[in-house]
PDB file of all heavy atoms in Angstrom:
ATOM      1  N   ASP N  57     -12.935  11.119  19.337  1.00 95.00           N
ATOM      2  CA  ASP N  57     -12.962  12.550  19.522  1.00 95.00           C
ATOM      3  C   ASP N  57     -13.019  13.277  18.207  1.00 95.00           C
ATOM      4  O   ASP N  57     -13.774  14.233  18.021  1.00 95.00           O
ATOM      5  CB  ASP N  57     -11.720  12.997  20.341  1.00 95.00           C
ATOM      6  CG  ASP N  57     -11.702  14.465  20.633  1.00 95.00           C
ATOM      7  OD1 ASP N  57     -12.736  15.007  21.121  1.00 95.00           O
ATOM      8  OD2 ASP N  57     -10.675  15.107  20.395  1.00 95.00           O
ATOM      9  N   ALA N  58     -12.228  12.811  17.229  1.00 97.00           N
ATOM     10  CA  ALA N  58     -12.211  13.410  15.912  1.00 97.00           C
ATOM     11  C   ALA N  58     -13.527  13.146  15.192  1.00 97.00           C
ATOM     12  O   ALA N  58     -14.116  14.081  14.600  1.00 97.00           O
ATOM     13  CB  ALA N  58     -11.028  12.856  15.098  1.00 97.00           C
ATOM     14  N   LEU N  59     -14.027  11.918  15.234  1.00 96.00           N
ATOM     15  CA  LEU N  59     -15.313  11.608  14.577  1.00 96.00           C
ATOM     16  C   LEU N  59     -16.485  12.375  15.136  1.00 96.00           C
ATOM     17  O   LEU N  59     -17.421  12.720  14.397  1.00 96.00           O
ATOM     18  CB  LEU N  59     -15.559  10.098  14.685  1.00 96.00           C
ATOM     19  CG  LEU N  59     -14.659   9.179  13.870  1.00 96.00           C
ATOM     20  CD1 LEU N  59     -14.923   7.733  14.264  1.00 96.00           C
ATOM     21  CD2 LEU N  59     -14.826   9.376  12.369  1.00 96.00           C
ATOM     22  N   SER N  60     -16.412  12.711  16.409  1.00 95.00           N
ATOM     23  CA  SER N  60     -17.535  13.420  17.074  1.00 95.00           C
ATOM     24  C   SER N  60     -17.691  14.831  16.495  1.00 95.00           C
ATOM     25  O   SER N  60     -18.739  15.461  16.732  1.00 95.00           O
ATOM     26  CB  SER N  60     -17.291  13.521  18.578  1.00 95.00           C
ATOM     27  OG  SER N  60     -16.210  14.373  18.901  1.00 95.00           O
ATOM     28  N   ARG N  61     -16.695  15.314  15.786  1.00 96.00           N
ATOM     29  CA  ARG N  61     -16.744  16.658  15.235  1.00 96.00           C
ATOM     30  C   ARG N  61     -17.382  16.677  13.807  1.00 96.00           C
ATOM     31  O   ARG N  61     -17.447  17.736  13.174  1.00 96.00           O
ATOM     32  CB  ARG N  61     -15.363  17.279  15.215  1.00 96.00           C
ATOM     33  CG  ARG N  61     -14.727  17.301  16.598  1.00 96.00           C
ATOM     34  CD  ARG N  61     -13.298  17.750  16.610  1.00 96.00           C
ATOM     35  NE  ARG N  61     -12.703  17.450  17.917  1.00 96.00           N
ATOM     36  CZ  ARG N  61     -12.912  18.165  19.023  1.00 96.00           C
ATOM     37  NH1 ARG N  61     -13.677  19.223  18.993  1.00 96.00           N
ATOM     38  NH2 ARG N  61     -12.337  17.809  20.176  1.00 96.00           N
ATOM     39  N   LEU N  62     -17.767  15.496  13.354  1.00 96.00           N
ATOM     40  CA  LEU N  62     -18.334  15.378  11.983  1.00 96.00           C
ATOM     41  C   LEU N  62     -19.817  15.100  12.048  1.00 96.00           C
ATOM     42  O   LEU N  62     -20.347  14.496  13.014  1.00 96.00           O
ATOM     43  CB  LEU N  62     -17.621  14.266  11.211  1.00 96.00           C
ATOM     44  CG  LEU N  62     -16.102  14.437  11.026  1.00 96.00           C
ATOM     45  CD1 LEU N  62     -15.537  13.237  10.308  1.00 96.00           C
ATOM     46  CD2 LEU N  62     -15.848  15.720  10.225  1.00 96.00           C
ATOM     47  N   SER N  63     -20.516  15.485  11.013  1.00 94.00           N
ATOM     48  CA  SER N  63     -21.949  15.188  10.878  1.00 94.00           C
ATOM     49  C   SER N  63     -22.105  13.722  10.465  1.00 94.00           C
ATOM     50  O   SER N  63     -21.166  13.114   9.899  1.00 94.00           O
ATOM     51  CB  SER N  63     -22.584  16.076   9.833  1.00 94.00           C
ATOM     52  OG  SER N  63     -22.426  17.428  10.175  1.00 94.00           O
ATOM     53  N   PRO N  64     -23.249  13.069  10.757  1.00 93.00           N
ATOM     54  CA  PRO N  64     -23.457  11.699  10.349  1.00 93.00           C
ATOM     55  C   PRO N  64     -23.232  11.527   8.835  1.00 93.00           C
ATOM     56  O   PRO N  64     -23.702  12.323   8.038  1.00 93.00           O
ATOM     57  CB  PRO N  64     -24.927  11.449  10.718  1.00 93.00           C
ATOM     58  CG  PRO N  64     -25.177  12.381  11.871  1.00 93.00           C
ATOM     59  CD  PRO N  64     -24.369  13.621  11.542  1.00 93.00           C
ATOM     60  N   GLY N  65     -22.429  10.524   8.468  1.00 94.00           N
ATOM     61  CA  GLY N  65     -22.146  10.243   7.068  1.00 94.00           C
ATOM     62  C   GLY N  65     -21.000  11.024   6.494  1.00 94.00           C
ATOM     63  O   GLY N  65     -20.552  10.700   5.401  1.00 94.00           O
ATOM     64  N   GLU N  66     -20.489  12.020   7.222  1.00 95.00           N
ATOM     65  CA  GLU N  66     -19.418  12.841   6.679  1.00 95.00           C
ATOM     66  C   GLU N  66     -18.089  12.107   6.574  1.00 95.00           C
ATOM     67  O   GLU N  66     -17.231  12.471   5.774  1.00 95.00           O
ATOM     68  CB  GLU N  66     -19.254  14.115   7.508  1.00 95.00           C
ATOM     69  CG  GLU N  66     -18.450  15.209   6.867  1.00 95.00           C
ATOM     70  CD  GLU N  66     -18.392  16.483   7.711  1.00 95.00           C
ATOM     71  OE1 GLU N  66     -19.054  16.547   8.773  1.00 95.00           O
ATOM     72  OE2 GLU N  66     -17.648  17.422   7.306  1.00 95.00           O
ATOM     73  N   ALA N  67     -17.933  11.028   7.391  1.00 96.00           N
ATOM     74  CA  ALA N  67     -16.687  10.288   7.356  1.00 96.00           C
ATOM     75  C   ALA N  67     -16.730   9.104   6.386  1.00 96.00           C
ATOM     76  O   ALA N  67     -15.759   8.343   6.284  1.00 96.00           O
ATOM     77  CB  ALA N  67     -16.352   9.756   8.764  1.00 96.00           C
TER      78      ALA N  67
END
Side-chain angles (χ1 to χ4, degrees):
D57 183 48
L59 290 172
S60 70
R61 304 173 192 284
L62 299 176
S63 303
E66 195 176 355

